[in-house]
Amino acid sequence: MEHIRTALQKAREQQGRPWVEEVLPPPLHAHQIEGDALWSRLPGRRADPVLAGRKRVVTVGRSDPSHTAFDILRTKVLQALRQNKWTSIAITSPTPGCGKTIVGLNLAFSLEHQKDCRTVLVDLDLRRPQVAKTLNMSGPRPLESFLRGEKRIERAFERYGDNLAIAANDRPVRFAAELLQSPETVGILKDMARRLRPDVVIFDLPPMLANDDVMAFVPNVDCAILVVAAEATTMNEADLCERELSQKTNVLGIVLNKCRYMPDKYGY
Ligand SMILES: Nc1ncnc2c1ncn2[C@@H]1O[C@H](COP(=O)(O)OP(=O)(O)OP(=O)(O)O)[C@@H](O)[C@H]1O
Ligand SMILES: [Mg+2]
């Protein structure tokens, strides 16, 4: 008798309830958020054009005439990427100090002005990370935990404008070679690209001749830019690095940086 009474009670309670109940999807887990939704969750930052300009990142403010050289580089890079359906670019140089970070950041901010294009820049120079310092970013930004899969994309990347995301790093990584060469790291970076869906991914890498980090990593990218420094890089170094790179990936081009003589024969 008791169970009939309970059933009757239940039936009475249900009277007047709607026949069709709203069916809601289960809440998204952080690792399932992608595309626009993920971009909108990245913390927004603003690069100061004056401070950036002092560090030679001239494409933020675009008042220094040298920014046009990077806009030309941007156009050439975009054309090559679109023609070949490539997205990822490694930036390296034969030896330290040729200007990889400056070229990478200038290219990234030049691309940021291109509204139909989403760009991601990752500081993978794990022994000597310089992106955070060059952009005067304060506060802790350890990238290692992201590369080990312990930190979410929205904790590692910051958004500049609507369409540039930067993953900086404020400290050297102890076992940099192992981390950069590990399949897990490559998997994390592929997952990042799948979810952020950028048109361009720029990896700021270490110099090539210091160790084998770059050669081990570049098979994972679509193409590479070799930055050489006028009056510092020798022809032999440039030639050797270009040949070695081309055995592992597509060489998009060589950027001659720190050139004191800038031809301006057309008056532009
Ligand atoms: N075109 C340029 N003209 C003058 N100085 C430059 C130019 N490009 C870069 N520099 C300066 O050279 C130094 C090294 O530049 P940057 O950090 O970009 O080089 P890098 O190749 O990334 O170095 P590292 O190998 O240490 O990562 C910086 O002080 C930078 O301001
Ligand atoms: Mg650098």
Side-chain angles (χ1 to χ4, degrees):
M1 271 310 269
E2 193 53 37
H3 64 277
I4 295 175
R5 216 172 280 138
T6 320
L8 275 172
Q9 179 70 23
K10 225 175 176 179
R12 277 185 207 117
E13 280 171 11
Q14 280 183 348
Q15 267 183 1
R17 276 206 194 166
W19 283 97
V20 181
E21 286 186 17
E22 195 182 2
V23 180
L24 293 172
L28 280 177
H29 291 293
H31 66 272
Q32 293 171 314
I33 296 167
E34 310 180 350
D36 292 349
L38 184 53
W39 275 85
S40 66
R41 289 167 73 111
L42 304 183
R45 300 276 182 264
R46 209 185 133 266
D48 184 313
V50 176
L51 291 180
R54 274 190 212 144
K55 295 286 182 78
R56 297 196 167 88
V57 184
V58 292
T59 52
V60 176
R62 297 202 280 187
S63 54
D64 186 315
S66 61
H67 82 270
T68 53
F70 290 104
D71 290 348
I72 294 169
L73 179 67
R74 167 190 71 190
T75 305
K76 288 185 174 173
V77 165
L78 274 181
Q79 274 171 356
L81 295 189
R82 283 172 181 164
Q83 266 167 19
N84 294 289
K85 296 192 168 37
W86 292 338
T87 49
S88 52
I89 312 168
I91 302 199
T92 185
S93 63
T95 48
C98 292
K100 298 176 291 299
T101 302
I102 296 295
V103 169
L105 281 170
N106 273 303
L107 180 59
F109 278 99
S110 176
L111 283 162
E112 193 262 316
H113 300 298
Q114 198 89 12
K115 293 300 166 205
D116 58 342
C117 176
R118 275 184 173 158
T119 304
V120 159
L121 183 140
V122 185
D123 189 349
L124 284 187
D125 193 344
L126 300 177
R127 294 167 208 257
R128 279 176 46 86
Q130 289 293 314
V131 170
K133 204 168 153 200
T134 308
L135 288 182
N136 292 300
M137 292 171 166
S138 56
R141 280 179 178 73
L143 192 63
E144 182 172 2
S145 43
F146 168 71
L147 296 174
R148 291 196 186 280
E150 296 154 9
K151 190 159 78 174
R152 299 207 306 257
I153 290 178
E154 51 270 56
R155 294 287 174 90
F157 285 81
E158 290 159 288
R159 188 169 41 76
Y160 287 79
D162 291 330
N163 50 347
L164 169 63
I166 297 184
N169 180 19
D170 69 332
R171 62 197 72 178
V173 171
R174 254 180 88 211
F175 302 108
E178 285 153 42
L179 188 60
L180 195 61
Q181 295 179 27
S182 90
E184 286 77 24
T185 302
V186 173
I188 296 279
L189 293 170
K190 279 194 177 147
D191 182 62
M192 174 278 292
R194 182 185 63 76
R195 291 181 50 210
L196 280 174
R197 299 181 206 145
D199 302 280
V200 185
V201 182
I202 300 170
F203 294 114
D204 184 6
L205 288 183
M208 284 179 68
L209 297 177
N211 49 58
D212 63 350
D213 291 8
V214 172
M215 292 310 281
F217 183 77
V218 287
N220 302 301
V221 296
D222 295 321
C223 56
I225 291 176
L226 185 66
V227 179
V228 300
E231 300 172 31
T233 309
T234 66
M235 275 304 283
N236 276 349
E237 287 169 342
D239 182 47
L240 174 72
C241 291
E242 200 271 338
R243 274 190 289 125
E244 286 197 356
L245 265 184
S246 62
Q247 285 167 14
K248 302 280 180 186
T249 190
N250 301 290
V251 180
L252 204 52
I254 299 182
V255 170
L256 176 62
N257 191 31
K258 301 194 179 184
C259 197
R260 268 192 284 177
Y261 172 67
M262 289 283 286
D264 185 21
K265 61 181 174 179
Y266 301 115
Y268 282 94

